[in-house]
Amino acid sequence: MASVAPAGAASFRPDGVRMARRKRLRLATFTVNGIAARLPHLLEWLARERPDVVALQELKAVDEGFPAAELEAAGYGAAWHGQRSWNGVALLGRGTVPVESRRGLPGDPGDDQSRYIEAAVHGIVVAALYLPNGNPRPGPKFDYKLRWMQRLHRHARSLVGLEHPVAMVGDFNVIPTDEDVYDPKAWRKDALIQPEVREAWFRLLDQGWTDALRQVHPDARIYTFWDYFRQHAERDRGLRIDHLLLNPALAPRLVDAGVDRWVRLREKASDHAPTWVELEAG
DNA sequence: ATGGCTGGCGACGCCAGA
């Protein structure tokens, strides 16, 4: 498997053959909270779960700091958009190099934060996005979050109706409902739960996007983030804020979805866990 | 009501995260 891969695109061929024979395709999003600090976890998770497409958020690294060689040795091609200290997004393809179609969310030429990248991977147009946190509220950061959601709404409208399969995935920093947080009262003042943020979320869904985790698990308590305080990960006191949205051309292929919580329970873990969907082959 | 923890930066404490 991964250990056979030397440098160069041709090295991807063995994994590509395996891909072609697999009936299903796994698409995952993982908000890593520092790609340099999290590389051992990322490589362990890739080897164990073998996702075919991966969106990464919160790289916290400049472009030159992205571990492209290590990921290629693990069997993954990549497209990435880094930034010093904060933000940063990437897309990985197992046995293939993502074909980048866009970096940066349109609608504000003055926005220099690396929060959006889009590429074709394994026959799907995938957007990896890192929506602004928005705290503290009120203030300029919350205003920036709302404007960013407006821009996302406009751009998503150009993607949702395509006949081609499209997925928008990543850290949305939105708690959609009170079923998506261990204690709504504890978060009532937070930017992630505000009514206008939730309204923007559901306006986005109303374009025709499927919230894959909720589609598969309508009533379950599902979390993708647990903060570092008070042993919240061990006690499963979390939030559902990492999401996978599928357009109507892709949603009928959805067969399963879940969260790899074991990654969050590792020592020195990110505060987010990988979240995934399983799709029938196109 | 508050602060608890973590990574990056760059030089020990501060910013930002959610």
Side-chain angles (χ1 to χ4, degrees), chain A residues 195-240:
Chain A
E196 55 267 60
V197 168
R198 287 178 160 178
E199 286 165 16
W201 164 260
F202 285 107
R203 276 200 302 272
L204 182 64
L205 291 193
D206 283 347
Q207 293 180 345
W209 299 96
T210 294
D211 175 352
L213 272 285
R214 267 295 162 247
Q215 177 76 22
V216 174
H217 307 286
D219 301 313
R221 283 277 173 175
I222 303 169
Y223 303 133
T224 69
F225 165 92
W226 302 257
D227 69 31
Y228 288 119
F229 310 122
R230 303 181 180 193
Q231 295 190 295
H232 276 170
E234 293 78 1
R235 297 161 59 202
D236 198 20
R237 294 168 71 80
L239 317 175
R240 190 175 75 97

mmCIF file of all heavy atoms in Angstrom, chain A residues 195-240:
data_model
loop_
_atom_site.group_PDB
_atom_site.id
_atom_site.type_symbol
_atom_site.label_atom_id
_atom_site.label_comp_id
_atom_site.label_asym_id
_atom_site.label_seq_id
_atom_site.Cartn_x
_atom_site.Cartn_y
_atom_site.Cartn_z
ATOM 1 N N PRO A 195 -29.127 33.099 16.310
ATOM 2 C CA PRO A 195 -30.251 32.903 15.381
ATOM 3 C C PRO A 195 -29.930 33.309 13.946
ATOM 4 O O PRO A 195 -30.294 32.591 13.001
ATOM 5 C CB PRO A 195 -31.345 33.799 15.968
ATOM 6 C CG PRO A 195 -31.014 33.911 17.416
ATOM 7 C CD PRO A 195 -29.520 33.852 17.524
ATOM 8 N N GLU A 196 -29.230 34.437 13.758
ATOM 9 C CA GLU A 196 -28.959 34.863 12.383
ATOM 10 C C GLU A 196 -27.989 33.920 11.683
ATOM 11 O O GLU A 196 -28.033 33.760 10.461
ATOM 12 C CB GLU A 196 -28.461 36.313 12.327
ATOM 13 C CG GLU A 196 -27.257 36.621 13.171
ATOM 14 C CD GLU A 196 -27.614 37.140 14.551
ATOM 15 O OE1 GLU A 196 -28.304 36.404 15.301
ATOM 16 O OE2 GLU A 196 -27.183 38.250 14.900
ATOM 17 N N VAL A 197 -27.097 33.271 12.457
ATOM 18 C CA VAL A 197 -26.179 32.292 11.883
ATOM 19 C C VAL A 197 -26.948 31.028 11.486
ATOM 20 O O VAL A 197 -26.745 30.465 10.403
ATOM 21 C CB VAL A 197 -25.052 31.971 12.888
ATOM 22 C CG1 VAL A 197 -24.254 30.754 12.457
ATOM 23 C CG2 VAL A 197 -24.143 33.189 13.055
ATOM 24 N N ARG A 198 -27.832 30.601 12.352
ATOM 25 C CA ARG A 198 -28.652 29.435 12.042
ATOM 26 C C ARG A 198 -29.562 29.703 10.843
ATOM 27 O O ARG A 198 -29.753 28.829 9.999
ATOM 28 C CB ARG A 198 -29.492 29.049 13.263
ATOM 29 C CG ARG A 198 -28.668 28.401 14.358
ATOM 30 C CD ARG A 198 -29.517 28.076 15.558
ATOM 31 N NE ARG A 198 -28.871 27.057 16.379
ATOM 32 C CZ ARG A 198 -29.378 26.598 17.519
ATOM 33 N NH1 ARG A 198 -30.530 27.052 17.972
ATOM 34 N NH2 ARG A 198 -28.735 25.682 18.207
ATOM 35 N N GLU A 199 -30.133 30.907 10.782
ATOM 36 C CA GLU A 199 -30.981 31.240 9.628
ATOM 37 C C GLU A 199 -30.185 31.178 8.333
ATOM 38 O O GLU A 199 -30.662 30.663 7.315
ATOM 39 C CB GLU A 199 -31.595 32.630 9.819
ATOM 40 C CG GLU A 199 -32.720 32.653 10.844
ATOM 41 C CD GLU A 199 -33.067 34.065 11.294
ATOM 42 O OE1 GLU A 199 -32.665 35.033 10.606
ATOM 43 O OE2 GLU A 199 -33.725 34.196 12.347
ATOM 44 N N ALA A 200 -28.968 31.692 8.364
ATOM 45 C CA ALA A 200 -28.128 31.648 7.165
ATOM 46 C C ALA A 200 -27.822 30.202 6.781
ATOM 47 O O ALA A 200 -27.783 29.851 5.596
ATOM 48 C CB ALA A 200 -26.834 32.423 7.402
ATOM 49 N N TRP A 201 -27.618 29.362 7.771
ATOM 50 C CA TRP A 201 -27.368 27.932 7.517
ATOM 51 C C TRP A 201 -28.563 27.284 6.815
ATOM 52 O O TRP A 201 -28.422 26.605 5.810
ATOM 53 C CB TRP A 201 -27.075 27.233 8.843
ATOM 54 C CG TRP A 201 -27.157 25.734 8.815
ATOM 55 C CD1 TRP A 201 -28.203 24.966 9.236
ATOM 56 C CD2 TRP A 201 -26.160 24.811 8.335
ATOM 57 N NE1 TRP A 201 -27.927 23.624 9.063
ATOM 58 C CE2 TRP A 201 -26.687 23.499 8.510
ATOM 59 C CE3 TRP A 201 -24.888 24.964 7.783
ATOM 60 C CZ2 TRP A 201 -25.979 22.363 8.148
ATOM 61 C CZ3 TRP A 201 -24.191 23.820 7.419
ATOM 62 C CH2 TRP A 201 -24.724 22.547 7.598
ATOM 63 N N PHE A 202 -29.755 27.522 7.351
ATOM 64 C CA PHE A 202 -30.926 26.864 6.767
ATOM 65 C C PHE A 202 -31.320 27.492 5.426
ATOM 66 O O PHE A 202 -31.864 26.796 4.563
ATOM 67 C CB PHE A 202 -32.091 26.860 7.767
ATOM 68 C CG PHE A 202 -31.902 25.847 8.856
ATOM 69 C CD1 PHE A 202 -31.576 26.229 10.148
ATOM 70 C CD2 PHE A 202 -32.006 24.486 8.575
ATOM 71 C CE1 PHE A 202 -31.375 25.281 11.144
ATOM 72 C CE2 PHE A 202 -31.805 23.537 9.565
ATOM 73 C CZ PHE A 202 -31.488 23.935 10.857
ATOM 74 N N ARG A 203 -31.023 28.764 5.235
ATOM 75 C CA ARG A 203 -31.215 29.348 3.894
ATOM 76 C C ARG A 203 -30.314 28.653 2.884
ATOM 77 O O ARG A 203 -30.704 28.405 1.741
ATOM 78 C CB ARG A 203 -30.927 30.862 3.914
ATOM 79 C CG ARG A 203 -32.098 31.710 4.370
ATOM 80 C CD ARG A 203 -31.942 33.163 3.912
ATOM 81 N NE ARG A 203 -30.699 33.764 4.407
ATOM 82 C CZ ARG A 203 -30.579 34.380 5.580
ATOM 83 N NH1 ARG A 203 -31.628 34.473 6.390
ATOM 84 N NH2 ARG A 203 -29.433 34.893 5.947
ATOM 85 N N LEU A 204 -29.091 28.348 3.318
ATOM 86 C CA LEU A 204 -28.169 27.622 2.436
ATOM 87 C C LEU A 204 -28.736 26.234 2.101
ATOM 88 O O LEU A 204 -28.788 25.846 0.930
ATOM 89 C CB LEU A 204 -26.810 27.513 3.118
ATOM 90 C CG LEU A 204 -25.684 26.827 2.343
ATOM 91 C CD1 LEU A 204 -25.329 27.629 1.094
ATOM 92 C CD2 LEU A 204 -24.451 26.651 3.223
ATOM 93 N N LEU A 205 -29.186 25.508 3.117
ATOM 94 C CA LEU A 205 -29.751 24.174 2.876
ATOM 95 C C LEU A 205 -30.949 24.256 1.934
ATOM 96 O O LEU A 205 -31.161 23.360 1.103
ATOM 97 C CB LEU A 205 -30.171 23.516 4.188
ATOM 98 C CG LEU A 205 -29.080 23.093 5.169
ATOM 99 C CD1 LEU A 205 -29.667 22.183 6.231
ATOM 100 C CD2 LEU A 205 -27.923 22.401 4.472
ATOM 101 N N ASP A 206 -31.734 25.327 2.055
ATOM 102 C CA ASP A 206 -32.940 25.474 1.239
ATOM 103 C C ASP A 206 -32.637 25.579 -0.257
ATOM 104 O O ASP A 206 -33.538 25.405 -1.083
ATOM 105 C CB ASP A 206 -33.737 26.705 1.687
ATOM 106 C CG ASP A 206 -34.514 26.444 2.977
ATOM 107 O OD1 ASP A 206 -34.625 25.266 3.357
ATOM 108 O OD2 ASP A 206 -34.984 27.412 3.596
ATOM 109 N N GLN A 207 -31.390 25.854 -0.606
ATOM 110 C CA GLN A 207 -31.030 25.824 -2.020
ATOM 111 C C GLN A 207 -31.162 24.411 -2.599
ATOM 112 O O GLN A 207 -31.245 24.248 -3.814
ATOM 113 C CB GLN A 207 -29.576 26.289 -2.218
ATOM 114 C CG GLN A 207 -29.322 27.754 -1.898
ATOM 115 C CD GLN A 207 -27.858 28.124 -2.123
ATOM 116 O OE1 GLN A 207 -26.985 27.259 -2.257
ATOM 117 N NE2 GLN A 207 -27.581 29.424 -2.158
ATOM 118 N N GLY A 208 -31.122 23.410 -1.711
ATOM 119 C CA GLY A 208 -31.213 22.032 -2.174
ATOM 120 C C GLY A 208 -30.096 21.128 -1.675
ATOM 121 O O GLY A 208 -29.988 19.981 -2.104
ATOM 122 N N TRP A 209 -29.282 21.641 -0.746
ATOM 123 C CA TRP A 209 -28.190 20.835 -0.199
ATOM 124 C C TRP A 209 -28.709 19.860 0.842
ATOM 125 O O TRP A 209 -29.623 20.171 1.612
ATOM 126 C CB TRP A 209 -27.135 21.743 0.442
ATOM 127 C CG TRP A 209 -26.504 22.691 -0.519
ATOM 128 C CD1 TRP A 209 -26.865 23.995 -0.744
ATOM 129 C CD2 TRP A 209 -25.414 22.418 -1.402
ATOM 130 N NE1 TRP A 209 -26.066 24.541 -1.707
ATOM 131 C CE2 TRP A 209 -25.160 23.612 -2.132
ATOM 132 C CE3 TRP A 209 -24.623 21.298 -1.644
ATOM 133 C CZ2 TRP A 209 -24.148 23.681 -3.095
ATOM 134 C CZ3 TRP A 209 -23.615 21.385 -2.594
ATOM 135 C CH2 TRP A 209 -23.392 22.569 -3.309
ATOM 136 N N THR A 210 -28.099 18.683 0.891
ATOM 137 C CA THR A 210 -28.414 17.676 1.907
ATOM 138 C C THR A 210 -27.344 17.678 2.984
ATOM 139 O O THR A 210 -26.152 17.517 2.694
ATOM 140 C CB THR A 210 -28.488 16.275 1.265
ATOM 141 O OG1 THR A 210 -29.601 16.230 0.369
ATOM 142 C CG2 THR A 210 -28.657 15.197 2.334
ATOM 143 N N ASP A 211 -27.764 17.876 4.233
ATOM 144 C CA ASP A 211 -26.885 17.743 5.404
ATOM 145 C C ASP A 211 -26.720 16.241 5.656
ATOM 146 O O ASP A 211 -27.571 15.592 6.252
ATOM 147 C CB ASP A 211 -27.542 18.464 6.586
ATOM 148 C CG ASP A 211 -26.790 18.308 7.896
ATOM 149 O OD1 ASP A 211 -25.826 17.506 7.960
ATOM 150 O OD2 ASP A 211 -27.172 18.985 8.873
ATOM 151 N N ALA A 212 -25.597 15.686 5.196
ATOM 152 C CA ALA A 212 -25.463 14.228 5.090
ATOM 153 C C ALA A 212 -25.555 13.515 6.443
ATOM 154 O O ALA A 212 -26.195 12.466 6.547
ATOM 155 C CB ALA A 212 -24.142 13.884 4.407
ATOM 156 N N LEU A 213 -24.929 14.080 7.476
ATOM 157 C CA LEU A 213 -24.960 13.410 8.777
ATOM 158 C C LEU A 213 -26.385 13.314 9.308
ATOM 159 O O LEU A 213 -26.818 12.286 9.819
ATOM 160 C CB LEU A 213 -24.050 14.155 9.780
ATOM 161 C CG LEU A 213 -22.580 13.768 9.849
ATOM 162 C CD1 LEU A 213 -22.416 12.434 10.572
ATOM 163 C CD2 LEU A 213 -21.907 13.714 8.504
ATOM 164 N N ARG A 214 -27.139 14.401 9.170
ATOM 165 C CA ARG A 214 -28.529 14.397 9.647
ATOM 166 C C ARG A 214 -29.432 13.529 8.786
ATOM 167 O O ARG A 214 -30.377 12.916 9.275
ATOM 168 C CB ARG A 214 -29.073 15.828 9.692
ATOM 169 C CG ARG A 214 -28.924 16.502 11.015
ATOM 170 C CD ARG A 214 -29.751 15.834 12.117
ATOM 171 N NE ARG A 214 -29.280 16.233 13.439
ATOM 172 C CZ ARG A 214 -28.698 15.429 14.304
ATOM 173 N NH1 ARG A 214 -28.495 14.164 14.027
ATOM 174 N NH2 ARG A 214 -28.302 15.857 15.472
ATOM 175 N N GLN A 215 -29.122 13.459 7.500
ATOM 176 C CA GLN A 215 -29.908 12.612 6.603
ATOM 177 C C GLN A 215 -29.801 11.140 7.016
ATOM 178 O O GLN A 215 -30.784 10.421 7.069
ATOM 179 C CB GLN A 215 -29.409 12.798 5.166
ATOM 180 C CG GLN A 215 -30.083 11.934 4.133
ATOM 181 C CD GLN A 215 -31.464 12.431 3.774
ATOM 182 O OE1 GLN A 215 -31.782 13.604 3.964
ATOM 183 N NE2 GLN A 215 -32.300 11.533 3.291
ATOM 184 N N VAL A 216 -28.580 10.727 7.364
ATOM 185 C CA VAL A 216 -28.355 9.325 7.716
ATOM 186 C C VAL A 216 -28.785 9.034 9.156
ATOM 187 O O VAL A 216 -29.275 7.948 9.459
ATOM 188 C CB VAL A 216 -26.861 8.970 7.508
ATOM 189 C CG1 VAL A 216 -26.555 7.564 8.012
ATOM 190 C CG2 VAL A 216 -26.496 9.086 6.026
ATOM 191 N N HIS A 217 -28.601 10.019 10.040
ATOM 192 C CA HIS A 217 -28.898 9.837 11.472
ATOM 193 C C HIS A 217 -29.840 10.953 11.922
ATOM 194 O O HIS A 217 -29.404 11.923 12.560
ATOM 195 C CB HIS A 217 -27.612 9.879 12.295
ATOM 196 C CG HIS A 217 -26.550 8.939 11.830
ATOM 197 N ND1 HIS A 217 -26.611 7.583 12.038
ATOM 198 C CD2 HIS A 217 -25.388 9.150 11.148
ATOM 199 C CE1 HIS A 217 -25.531 7.001 11.521
ATOM 200 N NE2 HIS A 217 -24.783 7.934 10.970
ATOM 201 N N PRO A 218 -31.141 10.839 11.625
ATOM 202 C CA PRO A 218 -32.062 11.962 11.878
ATOM 203 C C PRO A 218 -32.184 12.340 13.353
ATOM 204 O O PRO A 218 -32.407 13.504 13.672
ATOM 205 C CB PRO A 218 -33.406 11.450 11.346
ATOM 206 C CG PRO A 218 -33.088 10.276 10.495
ATOM 207 C CD PRO A 218 -31.816 9.701 10.999
ATOM 208 N N ASP A 219 -32.030 11.380 14.246
ATOM 209 C CA ASP A 219 -32.309 11.657 15.661
ATOM 210 C C ASP A 219 -31.114 11.482 16.586
ATOM 211 O O ASP A 219 -31.226 11.740 17.777
ATOM 212 C CB ASP A 219 -33.442 10.736 16.147
ATOM 213 C CG ASP A 219 -34.714 10.929 15.332
ATOM 214 O OD1 ASP A 219 -35.094 12.094 15.129
ATOM 215 O OD2 ASP A 219 -35.301 9.919 14.891
ATOM 216 N N ALA A 220 -29.993 11.022 16.064
ATOM 217 C CA ALA A 220 -28.867 10.691 16.945
ATOM 218 C C ALA A 220 -28.146 11.946 17.419
ATOM 219 O O ALA A 220 -28.152 12.982 16.758
ATOM 220 C CB ALA A 220 -27.885 9.785 16.203
ATOM 221 N N ARG A 221 -27.556 11.842 18.593
ATOM 222 C CA ARG A 221 -26.625 12.870 19.070
ATOM 223 C C ARG A 221 -25.289 12.642 18.375
ATOM 224 O O ARG A 221 -24.663 11.594 18.554
ATOM 225 C CB ARG A 221 -26.452 12.746 20.577
ATOM 226 C CG ARG A 221 -27.613 13.308 21.361
ATOM 227 C CD ARG A 221 -27.437 14.815 21.504
ATOM 228 N NE ARG A 221 -28.619 15.426 22.104
ATOM 229 C CZ ARG A 221 -28.671 16.719 22.418
ATOM 230 N NH1 ARG A 221 -27.634 17.504 22.190
ATOM 231 N NH2 ARG A 221 -29.759 17.217 22.940
ATOM 232 N N ILE A 222 -24.874 13.586 17.566
ATOM 233 C CA ILE A 222 -23.623 13.450 16.833
ATOM 234 C C ILE A 222 -22.792 14.705 17.049
ATOM 235 O O ILE A 222 -23.264 15.818 16.796
ATOM 236 C CB ILE A 222 -23.875 13.283 15.320
ATOM 237 C CG1 ILE A 222 -24.778 12.074 15.059
ATOM 238 C CG2 ILE A 222 -22.557 13.134 14.578
ATOM 239 C CD1 ILE A 222 -25.277 11.998 13.634
ATOM 240 N N TYR A 223 -21.576 14.533 17.502
ATOM 241 C CA TYR A 223 -20.671 15.664 17.670
ATOM 242 C C TYR A 223 -19.426 15.466 16.824
ATOM 243 O O TYR A 223 -19.000 14.333 16.566
ATOM 244 C CB TYR A 223 -20.268 15.816 19.150
ATOM 245 C CG TYR A 223 -21.441 15.974 20.087
ATOM 246 C CD1 TYR A 223 -21.514 15.233 21.264
ATOM 247 C CD2 TYR A 223 -22.484 16.849 19.781
ATOM 248 C CE1 TYR A 223 -22.597 15.367 22.123
ATOM 249 C CE2 TYR A 223 -23.562 16.988 20.638
ATOM 250 C CZ TYR A 223 -23.617 16.243 21.802
ATOM 251 O OH TYR A 223 -24.692 16.367 22.649
ATOM 252 N N THR A 224 -18.848 16.604 16.396
ATOM 253 C CA THR A 224 -17.605 16.562 15.610
ATOM 254 C C THR A 224 -16.491 17.366 16.254
ATOM 255 O O THR A 224 -15.361 17.339 15.790
ATOM 256 C CB THR A 224 -17.837 17.116 14.192
ATOM 257 O OG1 THR A 224 -18.075 18.536 14.263
ATOM 258 C CG2 THR A 224 -19.034 16.441 13.520
ATOM 259 N N PHE A 225 -16.837 18.102 17.310
ATOM 260 C CA PHE A 225 -15.887 18.958 18.019
ATOM 261 C C PHE A 225 -16.137 18.861 19.517
ATOM 262 O O PHE A 225 -17.298 18.840 19.953
ATOM 263 C CB PHE A 225 -16.056 20.417 17.559
ATOM 264 C CG PHE A 225 -15.395 21.428 18.464
ATOM 265 C CD1 PHE A 225 -14.091 21.843 18.233
ATOM 266 C CD2 PHE A 225 -16.076 21.952 19.559
ATOM 267 C CE1 PHE A 225 -13.481 22.751 19.083
ATOM 268 C CE2 PHE A 225 -15.468 22.872 20.403
ATOM 269 C CZ PHE A 225 -14.173 23.264 20.159
ATOM 270 N N TRP A 226 -15.055 18.763 20.267
ATOM 271 C CA TRP A 226 -15.129 18.775 21.734
ATOM 272 C C TRP A 226 -14.007 19.686 22.204
ATOM 273 O O TRP A 226 -12.842 19.459 21.857
ATOM 274 C CB TRP A 226 -14.917 17.376 22.302
ATOM 275 C CG TRP A 226 -15.883 16.324 21.823
ATOM 276 C CD1 TRP A 226 -16.950 15.811 22.506
ATOM 277 C CD2 TRP A 226 -15.860 15.611 20.562
ATOM 278 N NE1 TRP A 226 -17.585 14.852 21.756
ATOM 279 C CE2 TRP A 226 -16.940 14.709 20.560
ATOM 280 C CE3 TRP A 226 -15.027 15.672 19.430
ATOM 281 C CZ2 TRP A 226 -17.211 13.860 19.475
ATOM 282 C CZ3 TRP A 226 -15.300 14.841 18.354
ATOM 283 C CH2 TRP A 226 -16.375 13.947 18.386
ATOM 284 N N ASP A 227 -14.318 20.709 23.007
ATOM 285 C CA ASP A 227 -13.249 21.644 23.392
ATOM 286 C C ASP A 227 -12.278 20.974 24.366
ATOM 287 O O ASP A 227 -12.493 19.861 24.838
ATOM 288 C CB ASP A 227 -13.825 22.964 23.901
ATOM 289 C CG ASP A 227 -14.537 22.838 25.238
ATOM 290 O OD1 ASP A 227 -14.152 21.996 26.062
ATOM 291 O OD2 ASP A 227 -15.495 23.617 25.445
ATOM 292 N N TYR A 228 -11.181 21.690 24.627
ATOM 293 C CA TYR A 228 -10.092 21.085 25.403
ATOM 294 C C TYR A 228 -10.326 21.156 26.917
ATOM 295 O O TYR A 228 -9.486 20.719 27.689
ATOM 296 C CB TYR A 228 -8.773 21.786 25.065
ATOM 297 C CG TYR A 228 -8.227 21.452 23.690
ATOM 298 C CD1 TYR A 228 -8.046 22.448 22.732
ATOM 299 C CD2 TYR A 228 -7.879 20.148 23.356
ATOM 300 C CE1 TYR A 228 -7.528 22.156 21.481
ATOM 301 C CE2 TYR A 228 -7.359 19.845 22.105
ATOM 302 C CZ TYR A 228 -7.186 20.852 21.167
ATOM 303 O OH TYR A 228 -6.669 20.551 19.926
ATOM 304 N N PHE A 229 -11.443 21.728 27.324
ATOM 305 C CA PHE A 229 -11.658 21.966 28.743
ATOM 306 C C PHE A 229 -12.426 20.835 29.403
ATOM 307 O O PHE A 229 -13.274 20.178 28.794
ATOM 308 C CB PHE A 229 -12.426 23.279 28.941
ATOM 309 C CG PHE A 229 -11.826 24.434 28.197
ATOM 310 C CD1 PHE A 229 -12.564 25.146 27.266
ATOM 311 C CD2 PHE A 229 -10.513 24.801 28.416
ATOM 312 C CE1 PHE A 229 -12.005 26.204 26.578
ATOM 313 C CE2 PHE A 229 -9.950 25.861 27.733
ATOM 314 C CZ PHE A 229 -10.696 26.566 26.810
ATOM 315 N N ARG A 230 -12.159 20.636 30.684
ATOM 316 C CA ARG A 230 -12.984 19.775 31.553
ATOM 317 C C ARG A 230 -13.219 18.387 30.990
ATOM 318 O O ARG A 230 -14.304 17.814 31.154
ATOM 319 C CB ARG A 230 -14.333 20.452 31.817
ATOM 320 C CG ARG A 230 -14.186 21.817 32.429
ATOM 321 C CD ARG A 230 -15.536 22.444 32.697
ATOM 322 N NE ARG A 230 -15.383 23.774 33.302
ATOM 323 C CZ ARG A 230 -16.372 24.436 33.869
ATOM 324 N NH1 ARG A 230 -17.564 23.910 33.921
ATOM 325 N NH2 ARG A 230 -16.149 25.624 34.384
ATOM 326 N N GLN A 231 -12.224 17.884 30.269
ATOM 327 C CA GLN A 231 -12.336 16.515 29.720
ATOM 328 C C GLN A 231 -13.625 16.315 28.916
ATOM 329 O O GLN A 231 -14.281 15.271 28.996
ATOM 330 C CB GLN A 231 -12.261 15.486 30.857
ATOM 331 C CG GLN A 231 -10.908 15.497 31.555
ATOM 332 C CD GLN A 231 -10.754 14.343 32.506
ATOM 333 O OE1 GLN A 231 -11.476 14.252 33.505
ATOM 334 N NE2 GLN A 231 -9.820 13.448 32.220
ATOM 335 N N HIS A 232 -13.953 17.335 28.125
ATOM 336 C CA HIS A 232 -15.190 17.258 27.351
ATOM 337 C C HIS A 232 -15.157 16.146 26.304
ATOM 338 O O HIS A 232 -16.205 15.575 25.981
ATOM 339 C CB HIS A 232 -15.467 18.613 26.693
ATOM 340 C CG HIS A 232 -16.177 19.563 27.611
ATOM 341 N ND1 HIS A 232 -16.347 20.895 27.320
ATOM 342 C CD2 HIS A 232 -16.766 19.371 28.814
ATOM 343 C CE1 HIS A 232 -17.016 21.481 28.311
ATOM 344 N NE2 HIS A 232 -17.266 20.579 29.224
ATOM 345 N N ALA A 233 -13.989 15.834 25.766
ATOM 346 C CA ALA A 233 -13.922 14.758 24.765
ATOM 347 C C ALA A 233 -14.260 13.416 25.416
ATOM 348 O O ALA A 233 -15.105 12.663 24.906
ATOM 349 C CB ALA A 233 -12.539 14.708 24.136
ATOM 350 N N GLU A 234 -13.624 13.137 26.527
ATOM 351 C CA GLU A 234 -13.865 11.863 27.211
ATOM 352 C C GLU A 234 -15.321 11.743 27.671
ATOM 353 O O GLU A 234 -15.892 10.651 27.692
ATOM 354 C CB GLU A 234 -12.926 11.726 28.411
ATOM 355 C CG GLU A 234 -11.444 11.591 28.042
ATOM 356 C CD GLU A 234 -10.792 12.912 27.666
ATOM 357 O OE1 GLU A 234 -11.486 13.968 27.707
ATOM 358 O OE2 GLU A 234 -9.596 12.898 27.314
ATOM 359 N N ARG A 235 -15.911 12.876 28.037
ATOM 360 C CA ARG A 235 -17.294 12.859 28.537
ATOM 361 C C ARG A 235 -18.317 13.060 27.413
ATOM 362 O O ARG A 235 -19.512 13.162 27.686
ATOM 363 C CB ARG A 235 -17.450 13.944 29.594
ATOM 364 C CG ARG A 235 -16.561 13.709 30.820
ATOM 365 C CD ARG A 235 -16.360 14.968 31.643
ATOM 366 N NE ARG A 235 -17.608 15.526 32.133
ATOM 367 C CZ ARG A 235 -17.775 16.802 32.507
ATOM 368 N NH1 ARG A 235 -16.749 17.644 32.438
ATOM 369 N NH2 ARG A 235 -18.938 17.223 32.934
ATOM 370 N N ASP A 236 -17.838 13.166 26.188
ATOM 371 C CA ASP A 236 -18.692 13.326 25.010
ATOM 372 C C ASP A 236 -19.609 14.540 25.132
ATOM 373 O O ASP A 236 -20.798 14.483 24.814
ATOM 374 C CB ASP A 236 -19.503 12.052 24.736
ATOM 375 C CG ASP A 236 -20.043 12.009 23.306
ATOM 376 O OD1 ASP A 236 -19.490 12.733 22.441
ATOM 377 O OD2 ASP A 236 -21.010 11.276 23.047
ATOM 378 N N ARG A 237 -19.040 15.658 25.560
ATOM 379 C CA ARG A 237 -19.770 16.918 25.600
ATOM 380 C C ARG A 237 -19.258 17.785 24.448
ATOM 381 O O ARG A 237 -18.254 18.494 24.588
ATOM 382 C CB ARG A 237 -19.583 17.609 26.953
ATOM 383 C CG ARG A 237 -20.223 16.809 28.095
ATOM 384 C CD ARG A 237 -19.827 17.290 29.466
ATOM 385 N NE ARG A 237 -20.398 18.576 29.836
ATOM 386 C CZ ARG A 237 -21.640 18.759 30.288
ATOM 387 N NH1 ARG A 237 -22.460 17.730 30.397
ATOM 388 N NH2 ARG A 237 -22.065 19.957 30.627
ATOM 389 N N GLY A 238 -19.929 17.676 23.308
ATOM 390 C CA GLY A 238 -19.385 18.292 22.104
ATOM 391 C C GLY A 238 -20.397 19.096 21.310
ATOM 392 O O GLY A 238 -21.504 19.381 21.763
ATOM 393 N N LEU A 239 -19.958 19.481 20.108
ATOM 394 C CA LEU A 239 -20.770 20.244 19.170
ATOM 395 C C LEU A 239 -20.718 19.545 17.813
ATOM 396 O O LEU A 239 -19.700 18.934 17.468
ATOM 397 C CB LEU A 239 -20.233 21.670 18.978
ATOM 398 C CG LEU A 239 -19.778 22.459 20.197
ATOM 399 C CD1 LEU A 239 -19.166 23.790 19.754
ATOM 400 C CD2 LEU A 239 -20.938 22.709 21.136
ATOM 401 N N ARG A 240 -21.769 19.681 17.026
ATOM 402 C CA ARG A 240 -21.730 19.241 15.622
ATOM 403 C C ARG A 240 -21.577 20.487 14.761
ATOM 404 O O ARG A 240 -22.529 21.228 14.543
ATOM 405 C CB ARG A 240 -23.002 18.476 15.250
ATOM 406 C CG ARG A 240 -22.895 17.806 13.876
ATOM 407 C CD ARG A 240 -24.114 16.942 13.577
ATOM 408 N NE ARG A 240 -25.284 17.729 13.233
ATOM 409 C CZ ARG A 240 -25.695 17.995 11.991
ATOM 410 N NH1 ARG A 240 -24.994 17.534 10.959
ATOM 411 N NH2 ARG A 240 -26.770 18.715 11.772
#
